[in-house]
Amino acid sequence: MNSSGSNASSSGLSYFDRYSLSAYVFIPTILINFIFVTFVLAKSNLRTYSNIILCSSCISALLFGLVIVGGAFFNQVKSKYLWRFLFSCAFGHPTELTCAGIFNAHIAVISLERFYTVVYPFKYQRFATKRNVFMVLFLTWAIPICFIYVLIVLTSIHQAGHCYGWLTIPELYAVFNYILVPVVLFLPSSITFITYTIILCKIYSIQRKTWSERCNLTVPQPSSTYQLMLQHRKALFQMFLVIGIYAIAFYPFFICYIAFLSTRKLSLLLPTYMTYLLAVIYLGLHPILLIYFNASIKDEVKKFWKSMLENFSLKRRKSAFTLSSQIIVLSQPAISNGEDKNVLSSPVYPGIELR
Protein backbone atom coordinates (compact mmCIF):
# COMPACT_ATOMS: atom_id res chain seq x y z
CA MET A 1 0.00 0.00 0.00
CA ASN A 2 2.98 2.24 0.28
CA SER A 3 4.24 2.09 -3.29
CA SER A 4 2.11 1.44 -6.34
CA GLY A 5 2.71 0.30 -9.84
CA SER A 6 5.10 -2.18 -11.33
CA ASN A 7 8.01 0.26 -11.03
CA ALA A 8 7.93 0.28 -7.24
CA SER A 9 10.35 -2.61 -7.01
CA SER A 10 12.98 -0.65 -8.91
CA SER A 11 13.01 2.19 -6.43
CA GLY A 12 15.98 0.93 -4.51
CA LEU A 13 13.86 0.18 -1.42
CA SER A 14 12.72 -3.39 -1.56
CA TYR A 15 9.58 -4.93 -0.11
CA PHE A 16 11.82 -6.65 2.44
CA ASP A 17 12.88 -3.26 3.84
CA ARG A 18 9.33 -1.98 4.14
CA TYR A 19 7.84 -5.12 5.62
CA SER A 20 10.73 -5.58 8.03
CA LEU A 21 10.50 -2.02 9.35
CA SER A 22 6.73 -2.30 9.68
CA ALA A 23 7.07 -5.65 11.45
CA TYR A 24 9.32 -4.13 14.13
CA VAL A 25 6.71 -1.43 14.76
CA PHE A 26 3.83 -3.90 14.68
CA ILE A 27 5.24 -6.28 17.30
CA PRO A 28 4.46 -3.97 20.28
CA THR A 29 1.18 -3.06 18.56
CA ILE A 30 0.19 -6.73 18.50
CA LEU A 31 1.09 -7.13 22.17
CA ILE A 32 -0.89 -4.06 23.27
CA ASN A 33 -4.02 -5.10 21.38
CA PHE A 34 -3.72 -8.69 22.61
CA ILE A 35 -3.42 -7.52 26.22
CA PHE A 36 -6.49 -5.30 25.82
CA VAL A 37 -8.64 -8.10 24.37
CA THR A 38 -7.48 -10.56 27.03
CA PHE A 39 -8.11 -8.09 29.85
CA VAL A 40 -11.64 -7.22 28.72
CA LEU A 41 -12.65 -10.84 28.12
CA ALA A 42 -11.20 -11.91 31.48
CA LYS A 43 -13.52 -9.55 33.37
CA SER A 44 -17.12 -10.76 33.42
CA ASN A 45 -18.50 -7.27 34.12
CA LEU A 46 -16.76 -5.94 31.00
CA ARG A 47 -18.32 -8.45 28.61
CA THR A 48 -20.92 -6.05 27.29
CA TYR A 49 -22.12 -5.60 23.73
CA SER A 50 -20.36 -2.25 23.49
CA ASN A 51 -17.06 -3.73 24.65
CA ILE A 52 -17.42 -6.61 22.21
CA ILE A 53 -17.21 -4.06 19.40
CA LEU A 54 -14.09 -2.58 21.01
CA CYS A 55 -12.49 -6.02 21.24
CA SER A 56 -13.35 -6.71 17.61
CA SER A 57 -11.58 -3.49 16.60
CA CYS A 58 -8.45 -4.61 18.47
CA ILE A 59 -8.68 -8.03 16.82
CA SER A 60 -8.73 -6.30 13.42
CA ALA A 61 -5.56 -4.43 14.45
CA LEU A 62 -4.07 -7.79 15.45
CA LEU A 63 -4.93 -9.17 12.02
CA PHE A 64 -3.25 -6.20 10.36
CA GLY A 65 -0.14 -6.77 12.46
CA LEU A 66 -0.04 -10.48 11.67
CA VAL A 67 -0.29 -9.72 7.95
CA ILE A 68 2.69 -7.37 8.13
CA VAL A 69 4.78 -9.67 10.35
CA GLY A 70 3.86 -12.64 8.15
CA GLY A 71 4.87 -10.64 5.09
CA ALA A 72 8.26 -9.88 6.63
CA PHE A 73 8.75 -13.56 7.45
CA PHE A 74 7.65 -15.07 4.14
CA ASN A 75 9.54 -12.43 2.19
CA GLN A 76 12.68 -14.39 2.95
CA VAL A 77 11.33 -17.42 1.09
CA LYS A 78 13.69 -18.16 -1.80
CA SER A 79 11.11 -19.70 -4.12
CA LYS A 80 10.22 -17.08 -6.74
CA TYR A 81 6.77 -18.53 -7.47
CA LEU A 82 5.85 -18.86 -3.80
CA TRP A 83 7.15 -15.35 -3.09
CA ARG A 84 5.06 -13.89 -5.91
CA PHE A 85 1.94 -15.78 -4.83
CA LEU A 86 2.26 -14.83 -1.16
CA PHE A 87 2.91 -11.15 -1.76
CA SER A 88 0.39 -10.72 -4.53
CA CYS A 89 -2.47 -12.71 -3.01
CA ALA A 90 -1.92 -13.11 0.73
CA PHE A 91 0.33 -10.21 1.79
CA GLY A 92 -0.05 -7.72 -1.04
CA HIS A 93 -1.45 -4.20 -1.14
CA PRO A 94 -5.11 -5.34 -1.40
CA THR A 95 -4.71 -7.35 1.82
CA GLU A 96 -3.17 -4.38 3.65
CA LEU A 97 -5.90 -2.02 2.47
CA THR A 98 -8.55 -4.58 3.43
CA CYS A 99 -7.16 -4.83 6.97
CA ALA A 100 -7.03 -1.03 7.19
CA GLY A 101 -10.61 -0.90 5.93
CA ILE A 102 -11.79 -3.38 8.58
CA PHE A 103 -10.05 -1.43 11.33
CA ASN A 104 -11.36 1.95 10.18
CA ALA A 105 -14.84 0.52 9.77
CA HIS A 106 -14.70 -0.43 13.45
CA ILE A 107 -13.76 3.14 14.35
CA ALA A 108 -16.80 4.37 12.41
CA VAL A 109 -19.05 1.82 14.14
CA ILE A 110 -17.71 2.85 17.57
CA SER A 111 -18.57 6.50 16.80
CA LEU A 112 -22.05 5.54 15.58
CA GLU A 113 -22.60 3.36 18.65
CA ARG A 114 -21.69 6.27 20.94
CA PHE A 115 -24.02 8.51 18.91
CA TYR A 116 -27.00 6.19 19.42
CA THR A 117 -26.31 5.73 23.13
CA VAL A 118 -26.48 9.51 23.66
CA VAL A 119 -29.07 10.68 21.14
CA TYR A 120 -31.41 7.66 21.07
CA PRO A 121 -30.80 5.80 24.36
CA PHE A 122 -34.12 3.92 24.43
CA LYS A 123 -33.89 2.83 20.82
CA TYR A 124 -30.31 1.76 21.45
CA GLN A 125 -31.37 -0.45 24.38
CA ARG A 126 -33.93 -2.19 22.17
CA PHE A 127 -31.47 -2.50 19.30
CA ALA A 128 -28.46 -3.68 21.34
CA THR A 129 -29.24 -7.39 21.28
CA LYS A 130 -26.83 -10.23 20.75
CA ARG A 131 -28.17 -10.92 17.26
CA ASN A 132 -27.96 -7.30 16.11
CA VAL A 133 -24.49 -6.73 17.54
CA PHE A 134 -23.07 -9.78 15.79
CA MET A 135 -24.82 -8.74 12.59
CA VAL A 136 -23.15 -5.32 12.78
CA LEU A 137 -19.78 -6.95 13.41
CA PHE A 138 -20.30 -9.32 10.51
CA LEU A 139 -21.03 -6.42 8.16
CA THR A 140 -18.06 -4.48 9.59
CA TRP A 141 -15.76 -7.32 8.55
CA ALA A 142 -17.57 -8.46 5.39
CA ILE A 143 -18.00 -5.11 3.61
CA PRO A 144 -14.25 -4.21 3.44
CA ILE A 145 -13.39 -7.78 2.46
CA CYS A 146 -15.94 -7.82 -0.37
CA PHE A 147 -15.44 -4.29 -1.69
CA ILE A 148 -11.64 -4.25 -1.43
CA TYR A 149 -10.00 -7.67 -1.41
CA VAL A 150 -12.56 -9.68 -3.37
CA LEU A 151 -13.14 -6.88 -5.88
CA ILE A 152 -9.45 -6.26 -6.58
CA VAL A 153 -8.11 -9.82 -6.42
CA LEU A 154 -10.92 -11.64 -8.23
CA THR A 155 -11.05 -9.00 -10.96
CA SER A 156 -7.28 -9.31 -11.36
CA ILE A 157 -7.46 -13.09 -11.61
CA HIS A 158 -10.37 -12.91 -14.05
CA GLN A 159 -8.78 -10.36 -16.40
CA ALA A 160 -5.05 -10.97 -15.98
CA GLY A 161 -4.85 -14.51 -14.64
CA HIS A 162 -3.00 -13.62 -11.42
CA CYS A 163 -3.56 -11.66 -8.20
CA TYR A 164 -1.34 -8.70 -9.06
CA GLY A 165 -3.01 -8.00 -12.39
CA TRP A 166 -4.66 -4.86 -10.97
CA LEU A 167 -1.29 -3.11 -11.30
CA THR A 168 -1.52 -3.38 -15.09
CA ILE A 169 -5.26 -2.68 -15.41
CA PRO A 170 -5.67 1.13 -15.51
CA GLU A 171 -9.30 1.19 -14.37
CA LEU A 172 -8.71 -1.16 -11.45
CA TYR A 173 -5.50 0.64 -10.55
CA ALA A 174 -7.35 3.97 -10.43
CA VAL A 175 -10.20 2.51 -8.35
CA PHE A 176 -7.75 1.11 -5.83
CA ASN A 177 -5.58 4.21 -5.39
CA TYR A 178 -7.97 7.10 -5.97
CA ILE A 179 -11.27 5.74 -4.62
CA LEU A 180 -10.72 2.93 -2.13
CA VAL A 181 -7.69 4.42 -0.37
CA PRO A 182 -9.33 7.84 0.27
CA VAL A 183 -12.59 6.23 1.41
CA VAL A 184 -10.77 3.98 3.86
CA LEU A 185 -8.65 6.80 5.30
CA PHE A 186 -11.26 9.57 5.49
CA LEU A 187 -14.36 7.59 6.47
CA PRO A 188 -13.64 7.28 10.26
CA SER A 189 -12.74 10.93 10.85
CA SER A 190 -15.73 12.15 8.83
CA ILE A 191 -18.20 9.95 10.71
CA THR A 192 -16.62 10.85 14.05
CA PHE A 193 -16.90 14.57 13.32
CA ILE A 194 -20.54 14.28 12.20
CA THR A 195 -21.64 12.13 15.14
CA TYR A 196 -19.94 14.29 17.80
CA THR A 197 -21.43 17.44 16.22
CA ILE A 198 -24.93 15.95 16.35
CA ILE A 199 -24.35 14.81 19.95
CA LEU A 200 -23.32 18.32 21.00
CA CYS A 201 -26.30 19.90 19.25
CA LYS A 202 -28.67 17.36 20.83
CA ILE A 203 -27.32 17.94 24.33
CA TYR A 204 -27.50 21.70 23.86
CA SER A 205 -31.12 21.60 22.64
CA ILE A 206 -32.13 19.41 25.59
CA GLN A 207 -30.52 21.81 28.04
CA ARG A 208 -32.24 24.84 26.50
CA LYS A 209 -35.59 23.05 26.54
CA THR A 210 -35.13 22.04 30.17
CA TRP A 211 -34.21 25.61 31.11
CA SER A 212 -37.31 26.96 29.37
CA GLU A 213 -39.61 24.48 31.12
CA ARG A 214 -38.18 25.30 34.53
CA CYS A 215 -38.53 29.03 34.02
CA ASN A 216 -41.95 28.74 32.31
CA LEU A 217 -40.64 30.59 29.27
CA THR A 218 -41.73 30.17 25.69
CA VAL A 219 -38.48 31.63 24.32
CA PRO A 220 -35.32 29.78 25.28
CA GLN A 221 -32.49 31.64 26.89
CA PRO A 222 -29.91 32.71 24.32
CA SER A 223 -26.41 31.39 24.83
CA SER A 224 -23.21 32.41 23.12
CA THR A 225 -21.00 30.00 21.24
CA TYR A 226 -18.25 30.49 23.78
CA GLN A 227 -20.58 29.54 26.67
CA LEU A 228 -21.71 26.48 24.73
CA MET A 229 -18.11 25.40 24.23
CA LEU A 230 -17.37 25.84 27.94
CA GLN A 231 -20.39 23.78 28.94
CA HIS A 232 -19.45 20.89 26.69
CA ARG A 233 -15.68 21.22 26.69
CA LYS A 234 -15.23 17.57 27.69
CA ALA A 235 -17.13 16.29 24.66
CA LEU A 236 -15.33 18.78 22.43
CA PHE A 237 -12.01 17.68 23.87
CA GLN A 238 -12.82 14.04 23.11
CA MET A 239 -13.85 14.87 19.55
CA PHE A 240 -10.75 16.96 18.80
CA LEU A 241 -8.49 14.41 20.50
CA VAL A 242 -9.88 11.47 18.52
CA ILE A 243 -9.92 13.30 15.19
CA GLY A 244 -6.61 15.05 15.86
CA ILE A 245 -4.65 11.90 16.67
CA TYR A 246 -6.20 10.08 13.73
CA ALA A 247 -5.42 12.96 11.36
CA ILE A 248 -1.81 13.19 12.55
CA ALA A 249 -1.39 9.45 12.07
CA PHE A 250 -3.05 8.92 8.68
CA TYR A 251 -3.29 12.18 6.73
CA PRO A 252 0.49 12.66 6.19
CA PHE A 253 0.65 9.17 4.68
CA PHE A 254 -2.24 9.93 2.35
CA ILE A 255 -0.61 13.18 1.19
CA CYS A 256 2.76 11.50 0.55
CA TYR A 257 1.08 8.50 -1.09
CA ILE A 258 -0.95 10.59 -3.54
CA ALA A 259 2.05 12.83 -4.24
CA PHE A 260 4.17 9.79 -5.06
CA LEU A 261 1.50 8.36 -7.36
CA SER A 262 1.12 11.68 -9.16
CA THR A 263 4.78 12.59 -9.62
CA ARG A 264 6.56 9.20 -9.52
CA LYS A 265 9.49 10.87 -7.81
CA LEU A 266 11.58 8.33 -5.95
CA SER A 267 12.50 11.00 -3.41
CA LEU A 268 8.91 10.80 -2.13
CA LEU A 269 9.07 7.07 -1.52
CA LEU A 270 11.00 7.30 1.74
CA PRO A 271 8.59 9.90 3.25
CA THR A 272 5.74 7.64 2.20
CA TYR A 273 7.32 4.73 4.06
CA MET A 274 7.95 6.85 7.16
CA THR A 275 4.41 8.23 7.27
CA TYR A 276 3.14 4.68 6.80
CA LEU A 277 5.01 3.66 9.95
CA LEU A 278 3.40 6.62 11.73
CA ALA A 279 -0.02 5.31 10.71
CA VAL A 280 0.96 1.89 12.02
CA ILE A 281 1.76 3.41 15.43
CA TYR A 282 -1.86 4.57 15.70
CA LEU A 283 -2.97 0.94 15.83
CA GLY A 284 -0.96 0.60 19.04
CA LEU A 285 -2.47 3.79 20.49
CA HIS A 286 -5.99 2.60 19.71
CA PRO A 287 -6.44 0.41 22.84
CA ILE A 288 -5.05 3.21 25.02
CA LEU A 289 -7.63 5.63 23.61
CA LEU A 290 -10.38 3.07 24.19
CA ILE A 291 -9.38 2.77 27.84
CA TYR A 292 -9.24 6.55 28.23
CA PHE A 293 -12.74 7.13 26.81
CA ASN A 294 -14.46 4.10 28.38
CA ALA A 295 -15.25 4.68 32.06
CA SER A 296 -15.90 1.04 32.98
CA ILE A 297 -12.69 -0.25 31.39
CA LYS A 298 -10.73 2.65 32.85
CA ASP A 299 -12.01 1.84 36.37
CA GLU A 300 -11.09 -1.83 36.01
CA VAL A 301 -7.62 -0.93 34.74
CA LYS A 302 -7.14 1.41 37.72
CA LYS A 303 -8.24 -1.33 40.12
CA PHE A 304 -5.95 -3.85 38.47
CA TRP A 305 -3.02 -1.42 38.53
CA LYS A 306 -3.67 -0.50 42.18
CA SER A 307 -3.88 -4.18 43.12
CA MET A 308 -0.58 -4.88 41.36
CA LEU A 309 1.11 -2.00 43.19
CA GLU A 310 -0.27 -3.16 46.54
CA ASN A 311 0.89 -6.73 45.92
CA PHE A 312 4.32 -5.49 44.87
CA SER A 313 4.57 -3.28 47.96
CA LEU A 314 3.44 -6.15 50.21
CA LYS A 315 6.05 -8.47 48.72
CA ARG A 316 8.73 -5.85 49.27
CA ARG A 317 7.70 -5.43 52.92
CA LYS A 318 7.68 -9.18 53.44
CA SER A 319 11.10 -9.58 51.88
CA ALA A 320 12.46 -6.70 53.99
CA PHE A 321 10.95 -8.22 57.16
CA THR A 322 12.39 -11.64 56.32
CA LEU A 323 15.82 -10.14 55.71
CA SER A 324 15.76 -8.20 59.00
CA SER A 325 14.63 -11.33 60.88
CA GLN A 326 17.52 -13.29 59.43
CA ILE A 327 19.96 -10.56 60.45
CA ILE A 328 18.57 -10.57 64.02
CA VAL A 329 18.83 -14.35 64.25
CA LEU A 330 22.38 -14.36 62.95
CA SER A 331 23.46 -11.56 65.30
CA GLN A 332 21.91 -13.19 68.42
CA PRO A 333 24.66 -14.86 70.60
CA ALA A 334 24.27 -18.50 71.45
CA ILE A 335 23.39 -19.47 75.07
CA SER A 336 25.68 -22.01 76.76
CA ASN A 337 24.27 -24.95 78.69
CA GLY A 338 25.78 -23.77 82.00
CA GLU A 339 24.04 -20.39 82.00
CA ASP A 340 20.77 -19.69 83.64
CA LYS A 341 17.98 -20.45 81.20
CA ASN A 342 15.93 -17.58 82.61
CA VAL A 343 18.58 -15.08 81.63
CA LEU A 344 18.74 -14.27 77.94
CA SER A 345 20.96 -11.88 76.14
CA SER A 346 19.22 -9.42 73.85
CA PRO A 347 20.92 -8.91 70.46
CA VAL A 348 19.96 -5.27 70.43
CA TYR A 349 20.40 -4.42 74.13
CA PRO A 350 22.95 -6.85 75.56
CA GLY A 351 23.07 -7.26 79.31
CA ILE A 352 19.33 -6.74 79.88
CA GLU A 353 17.93 -9.46 82.12
CA LEU A 354 14.46 -10.73 81.37
CA ARG A 355 12.57 -11.74 84.51
Side-chain angles (χ1 to χ4, degrees), residues 73-93:
F73 175 78
F74 286 108
N75 193 26
Q76 303 183 42
V77 176
K78 301 301 181 182
S79 174
K80 184 176 181 181
Y81 174 78
L82 183 59
W83 181 91
R84 180 176 296 179
F85 171 78
L86 288 173
F87 278 90
S88 60
C89 297
F91 299 104
H93 297 172

Side-chain angles (χ1 to χ4, degrees), residues 273-286:
Y273 282 8
M274 294 298 102
T275 52
Y276 177 76
L277 296 178
L278 181 64
V280 166
I281 294 175
Y282 178 85
L283 301 179
L285 296 176
H286 176 66

Side-chain angles (χ1 to χ4, degrees), residues 65-335:
L66 293 176
V67 167
I68 297 298
V69 174
F73 175 78
F74 286 108
N75 193 26
Q76 303 183 42
V77 176
K78 301 301 181 182
S79 174
K80 184 176 181 181
Y81 174 78
L82 183 59
W83 181 91
R84 180 176 296 179
F85 171 78
L86 288 173
F87 278 90
S88 60
C89 297
F91 299 104
H93 297 172
T95 306
E96 291 182 54
L97 186 62
T98 301
C99 293
I102 295 173
F103 177 78
N104 288 349
H106 278 89
I107 296 179
V109 169
I110 291 171
S111 299
L112 291 173
E113 189 261 347
R114 183 164 298 177
F115 165 77
Y116 275 100
T117 56
V118 175
V119 179
Y120 304 107
F122 298 106
K123 290 183 179 179
Y124 174 78
Q125 291 179 0
R126 293 194 299 267
F127 178 79
T129 61
K130 183 177 180 180
R131 176 179 175 274
N132 291 334
V133 169
F134 280 99
M135 181 61 67
V136 169
L137 289 179
F138 173 77
L139 294 176
T140 305
W141 284 80
I143 290 176
I145 292 174
C146 294
F147 283 90
I148 300 176
Y149 186 82
V150 174
L151 173 66
I152 298 298
V153 174
L154 290 188
T155 306
S156 298
I157 294 175
H158 176 71
Q159 296 189 10
H162 44 73
C163 297
Y164 50 93
W166 64 275
L167 293 171
T168 59
I169 303 173
E171 296 81 6
L172 204 58
Y173 181 80
V175 168
F176 181 89
N177 291 305
Y178 297 105
I179 296 179
L180 294 179
V181 171
V183 168
V184 167
L185 294 181
F186 285 96
L187 179 66
S189 57
S190 302
I191 292 180
T192 301
F193 178 78
I194 293 172
T195 54
Y196 270 88
T197 303
I198 297 175
I199 288 172
L200 289 172
C201 294
K202 185 69 174 179
I203 294 175
Y204 179 60
S205 64
I206 292 174
Q207 286 184 347
R208 291 174 67 107
K209 183 178 179 181
T210 304
W211 185 90
S212 300
E213 292 176 352
R214 287 181 179 180
C215 299
N216 295 321
L217 297 176
T218 56
V219 180
Q221 181 189 23
S223 178
S224 65
T225 305
Y226 178 73
Q227 291 175 344
L228 176 63
M229 292 175 65
L230 287 179
Q231 292 174 359
H232 308 296
R233 56 185 178 272
K234 185 176 180 179
L236 285 172
F237 173 74
Q238 289 185 2
M239 180 182 71
F240 286 120
L241 184 64
V242 171
I243 297 177
I245 295 177
Y246 182 88
I248 293 173
F250 285 93
Y251 289 178
F253 165 71
F254 176 76
I255 294 172
C256 294
Y257 182 71
I258 296 299
F260 173 73
L261 290 180
S262 303
T263 61
R264 295 292 180 176
K265 292 182 178 179
L266 298 181
S267 59
L268 294 174
L269 192 57
L270 183 60
T272 304
Y273 282 8
M274 294 298 102
T275 52
Y276 177 76
L277 296 178
L278 181 64
V280 166
I281 294 175
Y282 178 85
L283 301 179
L285 296 176
H286 176 66
I288 300 175
L289 293 174
L290 295 181
I291 294 173
Y292 180 78
F293 291 123
N294 192 295
S296 60
I297 299 178
K298 185 192 294 186
D299 292 339
E300 288 296 329
V301 170
K302 287 181 179 179
K303 292 178 183 178
F304 178 76
W305 182 252
K306 185 178 179 181
S307 176
M308 285 187 60
L309 292 179
E310 290 177 352
N311 292 335
F312 179 73
S313 178
L314 182 61
K315 288 181 179 180
R316 287 190 62 182
R317 288 198 299 267
K318 284 184 178 180
S319 61
F321 177 77
T322 303
L323 180 61
S324 61
S325 301
Q326 292 176 353
I327 293 174
I328 291 173
V329 171
L330 293 175
S331 63
Q332 183 175 359
I335 301 175

